[in-house]
Amino acid sequence: MAAPRWVLACTLSDLAEQGAVALTLEHARVALFWHEGRPYAISNVCNHKGGPLAEGRVRGEYVLCPWHAWEYSVKTGKGPPGYDEETVPTYAVEVRGGEVWVNLEPATPRRKLEHPPHPLARKVQHEHHERPRVLGISTTAMDGDNPRFSASDHLLEHALEHARTDLGADTQLQRLRELSFRPCEGNYSKAARACTWPCAITERDPADQLTPVYEGIVHWADVVLIATPIRWGAPSSLYFKMIERMNCIQNQVTIAGRSLIERKVAAFIIMGGQDNIQSVAGQMLMFFGELGFQFPPFPFIAHSRGWDAEDMHRNVQAVQASASLRAGARELVARAIETSRHLHDPGHFERGGRKAGARARPE
Ligand code: FES
């Protein structure tokens, strides 16, 4: 048994006043808690991703890690019932006069259970697919029980149909409105390493339904086609809800030096009753560029009737009647597939045109 190594940690009054104190004592990272009128000490390093337990919220005898809410007893270092094989070290504590002393030889050890990796965590293959894979993501919000015509969905579905039937592609369509998924917890703002791949919400909450979107974007697709309406001069609210959850893809570049997205292509369909196309396109290009996506020549098609177009029912008619917008959607997906092929085989490139898409013209 190792010899005790007692060190002065803090004053009793400081701990009682603050409730929890984080200390590094001779390289040991210790979380001291004031609980039920006495001090307790456990490791300040969470078993999951190293979150600082002293900053967590205490519920009963359990402290919730501030990063992703794993729980540990401040008395025993054990997880709650059912998870009590998962433990962080505990340290003996003594009160001497008005001081708190800690024995840095752990009284109980750290035990990390093997957790099977989430399926998304598998190695990313940046390989070429003989049949190009095109993932469409619809971001328009809609009541599924009472659907309406969506200009952005209309063109997205048309592009996917063309990719499937004329360009030999495999296609998938994910409609965000049909997926129940939680908003981003902003883990990145707590600490860069708190924002994990796969997303901590995805790992913890089997009911969260963003997994097929992650799967499609990171593992499956060669081309991602994102369709959005313009809402108050910006992409849709569901678009933003989705991309906030994609911080965990982007931050792998900054914290782990690896890009999950390589040699993939993104392109955009932007449909607005009113204006701000360039701003919406700029935002989408910036974000998907930051994820590591490449873009085809002329990476979006868009349509808007302008700021003073208050007669939105006419916009629907214009889009439904427009052969040129449908041609634009077909050409966009063709350019995106072409660019994808070129990224895997730089010798392969054909010039794609951009004849249509700027204006809705009746057939
Ligand atoms: S729950 Fe502690 S680091 Fe994830």
Side-chain angles (χ1 to χ4, degrees), residues 126-130 263 337-350:
H126 304 287
E127 67 203 13
H128 169 68
H129 301 112
E130 211 42 60
R263 290 186 284 177
I337 289 173
E338 193 66 13
T339 303
S340 167
R341 288 201 172 109
H342 176 69
L343 291 172
H344 288 278
D345 174 9
H348 177 101
F349 208 86
E350 288 172 17

Side-chain angles (χ1 to χ4, degrees), residues 7-15 21 23 25 32 98-101:
V7 296
L8 172 61
C10 62
T11 66
L12 194 58
S13 57
D14 278 354
L15 180 58
V21 173
L23 295 164
L25 301 169
L32 275 169
E99 296 172 342
V100 179
W101 287 69

Side-chain angles (χ1 to χ4, degrees), residues 155 302-305 314-328 331 354-363:
L155 294 172
H303 160 72
S304 148
R305 292 175 60 237
R314 293 223 169 91
N315 186 59
V316 168
Q317 290 162 2
V319 172
Q320 285 174 326
S322 172
S324 62
L325 279 174
R326 282 192 289 282
E331 291 177 10
R354 191 208 185 194
K355 300 198 295 278
R359 289 201 175 276
R361 289 190 294 271
E363 296 192 57

Side-chain angles (χ1 to χ4, degrees), residues 21 23 28-33 40-47 50-54 63 72-74 77 87-91 106 108-110:
V21 173
L23 295 164
R29 290 171 58 194
V30 175
L32 275 169
F33 293 93
Y40 291 93
I42 63 174
S43 169
N44 195 31
V45 181
C46 175
N47 278 2
L53 297 178
V63 59
Y72 305 92
S73 164
V74 300
T87 66
V88 292
T90 58
Y91 301 92
T108 57
R110 185 183 300 278

